[in-house]
Amino acid sequence: MAVSRRKLIGSLAAGSALAAVSPTDLVSALRGTAYAASPPGDVVGKVSVGYQGWFSCPGDGAPIGGWWHWSRDRFQSPSPVNTTIVSWPDMREYARGYTTAYPPLGNGQPAQLFSSYDQQTVDTHFRWMQEHRCDTAALQRFNPFGDEGPTRDAMTVKVRGAAERFGRKFYVMYDVTGWTAMQSQIKQDWLDRMSAHTASPAYARQNGRPVVCVWGFGFNDDGRPFAPAACLDVVNWFKAQGCYVIGGVPTYWRQGVNDSRPGFSEVYHAFHMLSPWMVGRTGTLDGLDWFHTNVNVPDLADCAAHGIDYQPCVMPGDLSAGHRRHGDFYWRHLYNMTRLGAQGLYVSMFDEYNEGNQIAKTSETQATTPAGAGIRALDEDGTACSADYYLRITADGGRMFKGQLALTPVRPTPPVVGGGPQPGADLAAGRPASASSQNGAFAAGNAVDADPNSYWESTNGAFPQWWRVDLDASHPLARIVLAVPAGWEARTQTVTVQGSTDGTTFSTLTGPVGVRFDPATGNTATLTVPSTATRHVRVTVAGNTGWPAAQLAQVKVYAATGTPTPPGGLTVTGRTSTSVSLAWTASTDPDGITGYQVRQGGQTVASVPGTSATVGGLTPQTAYTFTVVAVDGTGTLSAPSAAVSATTAPAPGADLARGRPVTESSHVQAYGCANTVDGSADTYWESAGNAFPQWVRVDLGATVPVGQVVLRLPPAAAWQRRTQTLSVETSPDGTAWSTAVASAAHVFDPATGNQVTIAVPATPGRYVRIRVTGNTGWPAAQLSQLEVYAA
C-alpha cells in the first residue's frame, strides 16, 4: 500500500488573527504583467474533490482481491487490530455491504463496509457529488505496474461511466509515491491506457486541453526521491501531449523548505496550475488563518507573477483528531481560500476514511459505529450532525466560491438537515452569535462553540452589555443554560433574557435576576423561560461581582418538549424514471402544522404544505428510501415517519443491468461476474472450466417487462469466432425461474463485434439469468457484457 500522505511533515504551531489587509488587494498589488488567470473551465472556477476509489472486499470481483485499503493485511478481515481506517462510513445508501470482523454497531447490526469496485458504490458517490455541487473528481492513480494495476484500470472505467451518468467531470491524478520507474512508466501508462479516456465527454478540460495532475514532485521524503530533472521532463512531456498539467506540490513549494526539497523551483513553475498539499498541517482555526496570511497569500502572488493558476487544498479536518469543530474548521478553510481569490478549490478528500478527512457520508453517532472500537462519529463533540453534513458544507462553500452566496466567515450550513435540531439538542450550538462589545480575542462565538474553557468577555467597566444568538428558526423555548469556565472562582452576574422572532422586537423572557456561578456546581446555572416562540435570544448582563465585565463561556438553549406527531401511512403513489410520488396522513400539534419535509438519505428533498409530494431529479432504476417529518407553527420538527422505499423506473432505452448486483455459478481467477455489468467490453466473466452448465444472473432491482438481452464478448480479434449454447430465464424473486428464451446456439463473431442480440417475448421479471451449456471456443462460459432492455 502506498505511503499515507498523513505521514508527511505534521502541522506547525501557528496562531494569528484574521489578516487585517485584504488578501485580494495584496495579490492584485503583487501581480506582474505575466499573469493572466485562465478562464473558467473544468478546474478553474470549480470545486474539485480528490477521489480515492480504492476500497475492495472479498467477493466483489476486484482483481486485487481481499480487503484492499480497509485492512493492513488485506487477506484478513478488518478489525480494530487490523485496520487502516479512522472513520466509519454511513452505509444506508449502498446496495451491498461486506461484513467485517469489527464488533457489531452500537445498534446491534453487523459492521459492514462498502466496496469501491461495486459500480453502485461509484454511482452513489457521483450522485452525491451531483447533489452537492462537486464539479470535478480527481481520480487518484498510484503505480499501475504492480498488482494494483488491473483494479485501478477497472476503477477508471467505473468512474468514467458514473461521471457521464451524473454530469460530473473527472481527470487522472497520478500519485508518484513509491513509483521507482515513474519517469518512463507514467508516460507509457498515459499513452497505453489513460489517454483513451480523454475521449469521454466527462473528461475534464481546461483551456481546451485534457487535464492531468501529477502529485508528489519535490516532497522531502523517501517515498518521492526523484531528481528535479526527471520531474521537469515528465511535466514538459505531458504539456507536449497537449495536456493542462496540475502539480500536487508540497505546502512550502515556494520557499523550498520543510516538506519541500530545495532546487525544485523550475519544476513547480513549469505546471499550468499548482495545488499545494495541506492535510496534516494544522487542526485549528488560528492555524488556518496563519497559513492564509503567511503561506497562501504569497503563494498566490508568486503564481500570479508566473502566469500559473492556483488551486489550494481545502479540508474538512481530521475527524479522528477532533479537528472539525462541527463544520467550523471546514467553513473557515473555504472562506479563507475564497477571500484569497484562488482560481479553483481542491477538497482533500471525498472518500478518505483512512485519514479521517472524508466529506462523503459518515456515521452520525455511535449507534451506527462499531461498538467500543474507538472510532469517532460526526457527533463526537456533542453536536448532532447529519451524515451528509460535510457534503452540504461543500455545496454552500462552492456557492460562496462562485459568488452565488455572499462571502461570509459565519457558516450558513446547519449541522442537521432541514435546519431543525435533533430532539433535545442545544439550539444555540454553532449558531451565529454577536455582542455589544468584546475584550480582546474573547469573542461572542466562544459562547456557542464546543469548548467550555473559551468565553465571551465584554469591554471592561461598562455595564450593561448584551450577547445574542440566532437559532435559525423559531422554537418554543424551555430553558437556557449559562456557564463560565469551571475553574473560575464564584461570582454572581445580573442577567436578563429576552427573545425575538425577527431580531428587531424583543420581549423579556426572564429577569433581571442574579445568576450565581459557583465552581462547586460546575459554574453552571439554568434559567427556566416561558414556552414562547423565539428565534433570537439576547442575554443582557447588568453587573458581575467577579469581574467588571460580562462573561459567558457557554450559552445553551433548549426547546420545550412538545413536538408534532409523526406523519403516518407513508406510501408510494407513483413513480417514473426520474421521480417518486408520495402521500401520508396528517400530523397533529397544538401549535398547528405548517408543512412537511420529505427526506431522502437524511437530506430534505421537498417541502410542502400538504400531505403529498413528488420528488424529482432522481436517477433511473435506482432504489431510494424516504421519510417525512412535520413542522409545527413554532418551527419544531416531528420525529420522522416510518420509512418507505421505491425504485425509479428504467430510463427509456437504458441498459437495465448496468451496475446492478450480479451473481454467478462460478468463476476463475479474477474473471468475476461483476465484469458483465461494468460497462466495459474488455473485462469479462469466465466460469470454471469443463463443468457445464454454468450461469450468471442479474438483479434489476424491480420487476420490468424484459424485451431484449444483448450479450457481448471482448471485440478484439484475438477472441476468435465461437458458438455458445445458452438460454434466457427470468424470475420475480430469484427463486422460481421460467424460461423466457429456450436454449439455442448463438454465434459470437469478432467480425460483427462479438455481440449477440436475443429478442425476449415481453416477459416480466426482476431477475434475469443466462444459462450456458456449451462453448465451442473454450471449455467454459464466457461473457464480457450482459445487457437487459425493457420491452
Side-chain angles (χ1 to χ4, degrees), residues 746-789:
H746 295 274
V747 177
F748 293 81
D749 191 335
T752 55
N754 263 343
Q755 171 182 320
V756 168
T757 300
I758 303 173
V760 179
T763 305
R766 169 172 174 166
Y767 297 85
V768 175
R769 182 166 71 185
I770 306 300
R771 185 178 178 88
V772 183
T773 56
N775 184 348
T776 62
W778 196 257
Q782 296 171 311
L783 288 176
S784 69
Q785 288 294 283
L786 164 57
E787 301 171 10
V788 179
Y789 298 91

Side-chain angles (χ1 to χ4, degrees), residues 281-298:
R281 300 305 188 260
T282 185
T284 68
L285 301 183
D286 283 346
L288 291 175
D289 294 342
W290 186 93
F291 274 99
H292 167 267
T293 302
N294 297 287
V295 175
N296 302 123
V297 168

Side-chain angles (χ1 to χ4, degrees), residues 593-683:
I593 301 297
T594 59
Y596 299 87
Q597 296 176 357
V598 180
R599 296 182 174 179
Q600 182 266 313
Q603 180 178 6
T604 299
V605 292
S607 296
V608 295
T611 56
S612 64
T614 296
V615 180
L618 305 180
T619 302
Q621 201 185 354
T622 301
Y624 293 92
T625 299
F626 300 97
T627 58
V628 179
V629 298
V631 186
D632 73 6
T634 67
T636 303
L637 305 180
S638 74
S641 68
V644 66
S645 296
T647 299
T648 50
D655 172 15
L656 308 182
R658 175 73 67 86
R660 297 298 308 166
V662 62
T663 54
E664 66 198 6
S665 53
S666 66
H667 75 269
V668 294
Q669 299 178 26
Y671 306 117
C673 59
N675 292 338
T676 64
V677 292
D678 65 0
S680 171
D682 296 318
T683 61

Side-chain angles (χ1 to χ4, degrees), residues 88-98 112-114 361:
W88 197 262
D90 180 273
M91 291 293 294
R92 287 175 293 184
E93 294 183 55
Y94 298 106
R96 185 179 183 186
Y98 299 80
Q112 293 189 323
L113 293 168
F114 65 80
K361 296 187 182 183

Side-chain angles (χ1 to χ4, degrees), residues 26-37 253-254 265 268-272 274 296-310 343:
L26 178 56
V27 169
S28 297
L30 293 174
R31 283 178 177 169
T33 56
Y35 183 71
W253 63 274
R254 178 174 41 82
S265 178
Y268 299 146
H269 288 128
F271 287 105
H272 293 112
L274 289 179
N296 302 123
V297 168
D299 272 4
L300 182 57
D302 187 286
C303 287
H306 290 86
I308 298 171
D309 297 318
Y310 189 55
Q343 277 77 52

Side-chain angles (χ1 to χ4, degrees), residues 527-538:
L527 298 176
T528 301
V529 297
S531 181
T532 303
T534 303
R535 170 171 175 168
H536 302 268
V537 174
R538 185 166 67 191

Side-chain angles (χ1 to χ4, degrees), residues 170-404:
F170 79 102
Y171 63 86
V172 173
M173 186 175 190
Y174 285 107
D175 189 317
V176 298
T177 304
W179 193 349
T180 306
M182 175 277 303
Q183 186 177 1
S184 61
Q185 289 182 344
I186 197 171
K187 302 173 187 176
Q188 180 183 345
D189 183 71
W190 179 257
L191 291 176
D192 294 349
R193 301 170 181 167
M194 293 297 100
S195 63
H197 294 291
T198 64
S200 169
Y203 197 88
R205 290 182 173 269
Q206 182 62 49
N207 302 344
R209 302 176 177 184
V211 176
V212 65
C213 178
V214 182
W215 192 96
F217 285 172
F219 278 87
N220 188 19
D221 64 87
D222 294 339
R224 306 165 189 87
F226 315 106
C231 298
L232 185 61
D233 170 67
V234 169
V235 177
N236 287 333
W237 183 86
F238 273 109
K239 291 167 73 173
Q241 302 303 305
C243 296
Y244 177 93
V245 191
I246 303 174
V249 298
T251 309
Y252 295 94
W253 63 274
R254 178 174 41 82
Q255 298 160 283
V257 298
N258 295 341
D259 62 345
S260 174
R261 301 179 190 272
F264 273 78
S265 178
E266 186 178 3
V267 178
Y268 299 146
H269 288 128
F271 287 105
H272 293 112
M273 171 180 271
L274 289 179
S275 187
W277 191 238
M278 269 295 293
V279 173
R281 300 305 188 260
T282 185
T284 68
L285 301 183
D286 283 346
L288 291 175
D289 294 342
W290 186 93
F291 274 99
H292 167 267
T293 302
N294 297 287
V295 175
N296 302 123
V297 168
D299 272 4
L300 182 57
D302 187 286
C303 287
H306 290 86
I308 298 171
D309 297 318
Y310 189 55
Q311 184 200 52
C313 284
V314 289
M315 52 189 179
D318 181 354
L319 179 61
S320 70
H323 292 166
R324 296 202 172 191
R325 299 173 65 91
H326 48 269
D328 287 348
F329 183 86
Y330 191 21
W331 187 260
R332 178 65 66 84
H333 213 180
L334 289 161
Y335 167 72
N336 279 353
M337 296 304 99
T338 299
R339 69 190 180 109
L340 174 73
Q343 277 77 52
L345 298 180
Y346 179 81
V347 178
S348 308
M349 306 275 289
F350 185 87
D351 55 342
E352 181 59 277
Y353 294 96
N354 307 87
E355 297 182 359
N357 61 319
Q358 74 287 344
I359 62 169
K361 296 187 182 183
T362 299
S363 175
E364 298 172 343
T365 69
Q366 290 300 314
T368 51
T369 307
I375 297 177
R376 296 190 188 209
L378 288 180
D379 67 346
E380 50 90 23
D381 67 355
T383 301
C385 303
S386 62
D388 66 349
Y389 180 36
Y390 288 87
L391 290 167
R392 292 187 291 110
I393 293 179
T394 304
D396 287 342
R399 291 169 57 220
M400 180 173 66
F401 174 70
K402 297 170 185 175
Q404 300 161 355

